[in-house]
Amino acid sequence: MKTLYFNINTGANERALDFFTAKEPRRNKDGSKHASDKSVEEQQEAFLKDAALSPLTGKILVLHCLSTISDNLYYYDGKEIDILYSFWTDYAVHERFVTHNGNSFDWPFIIRRSLMLGIEVPMFPYDRFKHSEVHVDLAEVWNFGWVKAETCISLRHLCRAMGVDAGLKDTNPEISENFEWEYEHNRERTMQYAADEVRVLRELDLK
């Protein structure tokens, strides 16, 4: 089958702070901030750190793909709207899709960002994608069903468990946790990390 392995990496979008609501910290009798409460600035910093995880406040920075049609590993970056148009073009010519945590993150993020940017989403047989041969979510295969954040095995640990030489070094968590900063400041290393993630999807799929 014509299979597409893919993974997205995201960052905060330009309108993220439109969805931020500050909670005024409590004050002590002397007017100082309550020790257990965050300042408005600290709340905003924490909000922006997590903004990449929601399609409301995040955007796709880069999308890596590996297609069995061409046997090439490639990526889309730049303007998000162009990334999404390119992805849906790829979607149309493939019959099978493989992700890690795709049902919980990648697919919902891609579809919602497409809708928010006015991109027509192809007829998407979501029920058919779940637990089927059309879409294989490797995290769900490992978990025997729906994945919650606290039960989702990391791709790095899944590779170790299955004996796949991932090339995902122990320094990689700092990239995944701060992808946007790393993407801006260490682009070559970050893009290699993202490419390795997609490469190992195929190796795991073939196990």
Side-chain angles (χ1 to χ4, degrees):
M1 296 179 72
K2 299 173 182 176
T3 300
L4 184 70
Y5 303 88
F6 73 91
N7 180 63
I8 62 172
N9 286 283
T10 61
N13 69 42
E14 295 75 10
R15 295 184 54 205
L17 288 178
D18 291 352
F19 297 89
F20 172 68
T21 302
K23 182 179 180 181
E24 193 64 31
R26 292 170 294 174
R27 297 290 175 180
N28 298 315
K29 291 182 178 180
D30 63 359
S32 61
K33 181 179 72 66
H34 197 281
S36 63
D37 288 357
K38 293 181 178 180
S39 68
V40 173
E41 291 76 16
E42 290 171 329
Q43 293 175 51
Q44 182 172 302
E45 182 179 352
F47 176 85
L48 288 175
K49 186 176 181 180
D50 293 335
L53 300 178
S54 167
L56 292 176
T57 53
K59 66 179 179 180
I60 298 171
L61 296 176
V62 60
L63 190 155
H64 273 80
C65 301
L66 194 161
S67 171
T68 60
I69 296 175
S70 61
D71 200 34
N72 285 332
L73 196 156
Y74 55 95
Y75 67 88
Y76 301 116
D77 65 353
K79 292 183 179 179
E80 185 185 27
I81 193 167
D82 294 334
I83 294 173
L84 289 165
Y85 274 124
S86 297
F87 172 78
W88 288 118
T89 299
D90 281 350
Y91 169 86
V93 297
H94 288 84
E95 305 164 312
R96 180 173 177 268
F97 306 87
V98 178
T99 65
H100 174 267
N101 201 30
N103 274 329
S104 297
F105 185 68
D106 299 72
W107 282 118
F109 202 102
I110 288 170
I111 292 171
R112 288 169 178 154
R113 287 303 296 169
S114 295
L115 294 172
M116 291 174 70
L117 292 172
I119 299 172
E120 184 177 353
V121 175
M123 182 64 69
F124 191 79
Y126 185 72
D127 290 338
R128 184 163 147 256
F129 266 56
K130 287 184 59 58
H131 315 302
S132 73
E133 293 184 359
V134 177
H135 172 228
V136 177
D137 183 332
L138 295 173
E140 290 192 0
V141 172
W142 175 264
N143 206 53
F144 282 82
W146 186 257
V147 173
K148 296 181 180 179
E150 60 271 19
T151 61
C152 183
I153 186 171
S154 72
L155 187 56
R156 189 161 53 97
H157 286 172
L158 183 57
C159 287
R160 287 181 178 177
M162 296 303 297
V164 170
D165 181 13
L168 301 177
K169 301 176 182 178
D170 289 334
T171 55
N172 288 158
E174 70 188 47
I175 299 178
S176 61
E177 292 169 11
N178 303 283
F179 188 88
E180 186 171 13
W181 188 93
E182 294 284 348
Y183 180 72
E184 293 176 357
H185 296 84
N186 299 300
R187 180 179 170 81
E188 183 176 351
R189 183 175 79 136
T190 305
M191 294 296 277
Q192 184 60 56
Y193 158 82
D196 285 343
E197 283 196 319
V198 174
R199 177 179 56 79
V200 300
L201 291 179
R202 180 168 66 173
E203 295 185 36
L204 287 166
D205 183 43
L206 296 176
K207 272 285 187 174

